[in-house]
Amino acid sequence: MSAVRPSPQARPELTALGAYRLAGGESAPVKLNQNECPQDWPEDLKAEVARRLLRRPWNRYPPLDGRALREALAGACGVDAEMVAVASGSNEALLALVQAFACGRRVALVRPGYSLSVSLAVAGGAEVRPVLLREDFSLDLPAMVEAVSDPDVALVYLASPNNPTGAGCPRDDVLTVVEAARGVVVLDEAYAEFDGQTLLPAVREYPHLAVLRTFSKAFALAGARVGYVVAHPDVIASVRAALPPYNLNLFAQEAALAVLARPELVAARVDQVIRERERVYQALQRVDGVRPYPSRANFILFRTPLDAGVLLGRLLARGILVRDVSGQPLLDRCLRVTIGAPEENDRFLDALAQSVAP
């Protein structure tokens, strides 16, 4: 009889992170905690995807490298197909970038920032070098330039607009970081459609710049998990080497192709979100004790006089689920609300006013 062995131990830095969790769960009558599109796809578009899937064999693997989708994305982005890699969400693409370029080295990133950027850097075997934003949530450019000048910083992660602050990063600041960096600079543009600005054309000029995009926000395809990275062919070749084969399933590929053919639908959804974002921002300014921050994304960060966890619970009791982001630096008493449909936004605003009232 063999001796009882102790359970395997994971890397301590990974264990310390823990699994991804959502405070408040995933369901509520009004769900405004994950920056999803407030409208589902129309039935005719769903039916189109179903027709495409019925014509394809399900017993065969999907296209190995998503060639048709890569070509469609290349056309939309104005680049060559060899400059695009597709992934199961932009998170998988970011993890592949870390594994390819920064394993055993350092990743520089801003705080407060996208919560999973730290987890993915650590999971990819990198050490995190955080750079604190300024009090107004703008990039501390001298501090970032100093960080990326470190020869052991092999990858830099920036997001514009930044999540959860909603602030954009000026083009000139990003390019200053790119020019100072010794490693790969990853610019996450998950919310670019709501901002109207992009640095995609710059990937031709800077071979160490990689731009991340997702179908989970403006394209209303969070359930399919589709993301992609645009960069120099050499960077893309390394990303694809780090990605598992057949990483993007058949449904995800066909759904992404179908919605790419409907740019007018996506544009209309984006316009509605932007209008609602400005309306909600103005309304939040009228709620006593609440300070909203300007946003260029599909969400708004706001600070309240109450503990964030207490307010989260009060809103949840009224059927409203938002995101508590107060655990990050500079975000004491802060929560983030996704811009939903007009009626959802109205319910949120009413519940918030009741929840912060004395």
Side-chain angles (χ1 to χ4, degrees):
M1 184 175 181
S2 60
V4 177
R5 296 182 180 180
S7 60
Q9 298 297 307
R11 291 184 284 131
E13 66 273 19
L14 193 61
T15 303
L17 289 174
Y20 182 71
R21 296 280 190 270
L22 285 175
E26 295 190 19
S27 62
V30 178
K31 184 176 181 293
L32 302 174
N33 66 325
Q34 288 188 288
N35 301 341
E36 298 153 318
C37 180
Q39 298 95 5
D40 195 4
W41 278 19
E43 290 298 322
D44 66 311
L45 189 51
K46 288 185 175 182
E48 169 60 23
V49 176
R51 285 191 293 270
R52 289 172 180 240
L53 290 172
L54 287 172
R55 292 195 294 264
R56 301 292 295 272
W58 292 12
N59 61 317
R60 303 299 183 187
Y61 287 104
L64 177 61
D65 61 356
R67 183 70 191 186
L69 179 56
R70 287 173 54 221
E71 290 178 347
L73 287 168
C77 297
V79 298
D80 302 325
E82 289 69 27
M83 298 177 71
V84 180
V86 293
S88 181
S90 56
N91 287 335
E92 184 182 55
L94 177 55
L95 178 59
L97 282 157
V98 174
Q99 292 171 328
F101 295 100
C103 183
R105 300 178 70 187
R106 292 178 183 167
V107 171
L109 46 77
V110 302
R111 308 304 289 156
Y114 179 42
S115 60
L116 282 179
S117 63
V118 173
S119 301
L120 293 168
V122 173
E127 177 187 344
V128 173
R129 176 167 180 175
V131 177
L132 194 66
L133 295 176
R134 299 186 187 277
E135 291 288 337
D136 64 355
F137 303 139
S138 63
L139 180 66
D140 186 338
L141 190 56
M144 180 57 81
V145 168
E146 179 184 358
V148 305
S149 300
D150 178 349
D152 202 38
V153 170
L155 187 142
V156 183
Y157 174 83
L158 289 172
S160 185
N162 185 39
N163 174 19
T165 66
C169 190
R171 173 188 174 88
D172 289 347
D173 286 1
V174 176
L175 292 181
T176 297
V177 173
V178 172
E179 290 172 355
R182 301 192 179 193
V184 174
V185 178
V186 179
L187 179 63
D188 191 339
E189 292 190 342
Y191 303 96
E193 290 87 356
F194 306 101
D195 184 28
Q197 300 186 44
T198 180
L199 270 176
L200 270 174
V203 297
R204 290 192 178 278
E205 183 178 355
Y206 298 98
H208 62 303
L209 172 64
V211 175
L212 283 181
R213 288 291 189 92
T214 181
F215 279 74
S216 295
K217 312 304 179 183
F219 288 89
L221 203 54
R225 309 302 299 124
V226 183
Y228 60 102
V229 55
V230 181
H232 187 276
D234 290 346
V235 172
I236 294 299
S238 297
V239 169
R240 291 178 62 191
L243 288 169
Y246 308 107
N247 62 314
L248 199 58
N249 68 67
L250 187 61
F251 165 71
Q253 293 189 37
E254 293 292 356
L257 284 166
V259 76
L260 276 175
R262 295 284 298 275
E264 75 291 345
L265 173 65
V266 177
R269 300 284 183 83
V270 168
D271 287 345
Q272 181 182 22
V273 168
I274 291 174
R275 289 195 302 270
E276 280 295 294
R277 180 186 70 195
E278 300 313 307
R279 182 179 74 88
V280 171
Y281 177 78
Q282 296 297 328
L284 285 171
Q285 290 183 307
R286 297 190 291 270
V287 180
D288 288 341
V290 172
R291 179 187 178 185
Y293 294 91
S295 174
R296 293 165 65 172
N298 69 336
F299 58 82
I300 294 176
L301 178 76
F302 62 99
R303 196 184 305 271
T304 81
L306 302 177
D307 174 83
V310 170
L311 182 55
L312 180 73
R314 291 185 182 182
L315 289 171
L316 192 57
R318 292 177 167 89
I320 311 295
L321 181 57
V322 299
R323 187 71 175 269
D324 178 357
V325 296
S326 62
Q328 292 204 49
L330 306 178
L331 300 186
D332 181 49
R333 306 190 319 279
C334 282
L335 297 102
R336 187 197 70 198
V337 60
T338 303
I339 300 302
E343 60 275 12
E344 293 176 322
N345 298 330
D346 289 340
R347 289 185 61 180
F348 158 70
L349 291 167
D350 289 343
L352 179 65
Q354 296 172 34
S355 298
V356 300

